[in-house]
Amino acid sequence: MSFLEEFQANLDSLPNILHKKYALLRDLDKSLQDNQRQNEQRCEQEIEDIRRGVRSGNIAPDTSVIRFSDEALDEQKHSIRIADEKVALAVQAYDLVDTHIQQLDQYLKKFDEELRRERENAAITGAPTSSPDGNTKSGKEGGRGGRKKTRQAASVQTATAAAMAAATEALATSANPTGMDLDLPVDPNEPTYCFCNQVSYGEMVACDNPDCKIEWFHFGCVGLKEQPKGKWYCSSCAATRNRRRGK
C-alpha cells in the first residue's frame, strides 16, 4: 500500500472519529450547563437562607464560619471535572487532525525533494526522461525551468491534490460541527493554475504543449470528467496549433 493509499484509508475514518468526539463534547457541555444552573440555584437559596438567619439572629454575622453546604461544593467540583474532560477531548481532536496534517506535509516534502533530485540529475546528465507510456520526452519539454511533470508525476500530483481536498472537506464538515466560518490562512507563495487562476485542487490535467503558459487545468474548468487518453491541449494552445496548420 502506497503512502497516499494509506493516508486516504486513515482519512476515511477521521470524520466518524471526530463526529463521536464532538458529540461527546456536546453531551458534556449540556451536562455542565445543567450542573452549573443547579448549583447557582442552590447557592442563591443558601445565601438567602443565611441572610434570613442573620436578620433573625439565628446565625452570627461572622463570615469566617459562613460557608456553602457540602452539596453545593460537590456540585462545583463536579463542574470542574466536566470542564477538564471537555478540554481533554478538544486536545485529542486537535492532535488527531494535526497528525494527519503532519503526515501529508511529510509526504509532500518528500515528493518535492524527489522531483528536485530528478531535475538536478536531468540537468547534469542531459539525459531524456521516459514517460510511463514508453515515449521519451526531453528535458526541454519541461518548459519554464522544467516545471512540467511527466504523466506519472501528474498522476501522483492528482492523487496528492485529491487527498488534500478530502482532508479539507473532512475538516470542514467534521471539525467544525457548529457551522461557524473559519478564517483559515492561505499561503501567498502557493502557485496558481488554470484559467481560473486558483491553487491546485481536485483532479487536474496537464497541457501537452511544452510552451503552454498555464500548463495545469482543473477538470471542471475545461469540461473534463476523466483523464484524457493520448495528448491533450488546452483551448488556447489548440487554437494556436490550428492557426499554424491553416497557414
Side-chain angles (χ1 to χ4, degrees):
M1 180 181 291
S2 67
F3 175 87
L4 278 179
E5 291 173 338
E6 182 180 356
F7 177 79
Q8 287 181 312
N10 293 334
L11 190 65
D12 289 340
S13 62
L14 180 61
N16 289 333
I17 296 176
L18 291 177
H19 178 75
K20 291 179 181 178
K21 289 186 178 298
Y22 281 108
L24 183 55
L25 271 173
R26 285 192 294 269
D27 293 340
L28 287 174
D29 190 61
K30 183 178 183 301
S31 177
L32 178 61
Q33 291 178 3
D34 292 341
N35 189 72
Q36 287 177 328
R37 189 180 304 108
Q38 178 179 335
N39 184 253
E40 288 175 358
Q41 293 174 354
R42 184 188 299 274
C43 290
E44 289 175 356
Q45 182 62 45
E46 291 184 2
I47 291 174
E48 184 61 29
D49 292 342
I50 292 172
R51 287 174 177 172
R52 284 200 299 266
V54 171
R55 286 196 296 266
S56 63
N58 296 328
I59 299 178
D62 186 356
T63 57
S64 62
V65 297
I66 297 176
R67 61 188 296 272
F68 288 118
S69 66
D70 292 337
E71 291 81 2
L73 296 176
D74 288 341
E75 288 173 348
Q76 294 172 5
K77 293 177 181 178
H78 184 56
S79 295
I80 294 175
R81 287 194 296 269
I82 295 176
D84 289 340
E85 289 184 41
K86 289 180 58 181
V87 172
L89 273 175
V91 171
Q92 291 175 12
Y94 175 88
D95 290 342
L96 186 63
V97 175
D98 187 58
T99 298
H100 283 76
I101 293 175
Q102 290 183 17
Q103 289 177 348
L104 185 58
D105 286 343
Q106 290 174 2
Y107 172 76
L108 292 176
K109 182 178 179 181
K110 180 180 178 181
F111 179 60
D112 288 339
E113 290 176 352
E114 291 177 353
L115 288 179
R116 178 179 55 79
R117 285 195 298 267
E118 289 180 2
R119 290 195 294 267
E120 290 176 351
N121 293 336
I124 294 173
T125 62
T129 57
S130 297
S131 62
D133 58 3
N135 296 328
T136 300
K137 295 186 179 182
S138 64
K140 183 179 179 182
E141 189 174 358
R144 283 195 284 177
R147 190 162 64 87
K148 176 81 73 175
K149 282 78 173 177
T150 62
R151 289 290 185 185
Q152 185 176 13
S155 63
V156 173
Q157 188 191 54
T158 300
T160 303
M164 294 180 67
T168 302
E169 181 178 358
L171 298 184
T173 57
S174 300
N176 184 26
T178 59
M180 295 186 299
D181 292 333
L182 299 179
D183 187 12
L184 299 178
V186 177
D187 186 357
N189 298 320
E190 187 171 0
T192 56
Y193 306 94
C194 193
F195 296 125
C196 64
N197 196 32
Q198 298 295 321
V199 297
S200 172
Y201 64 84
E203 292 187 283
M204 301 185 69
V205 60
C207 179
D208 281 297
N209 179 11
D211 298 321
C212 181
K213 296 181 179 180
I214 300 179
E215 297 188 318
W216 288 96
F217 302 84
H218 304 106
F219 271 24
C221 294
V222 293
L224 292 177
K225 294 183 179 180
E226 59 184 15
Q227 195 71 26
K229 297 179 180 179
K231 292 184 178 297
W232 180 87
Y233 298 92
C234 68
S235 57
S236 298
C237 294
T240 302
R241 286 170 57 85
N242 291 335
R243 286 197 298 269
R244 289 176 180 175
R245 290 177 180 176
K247 292 183 179 179

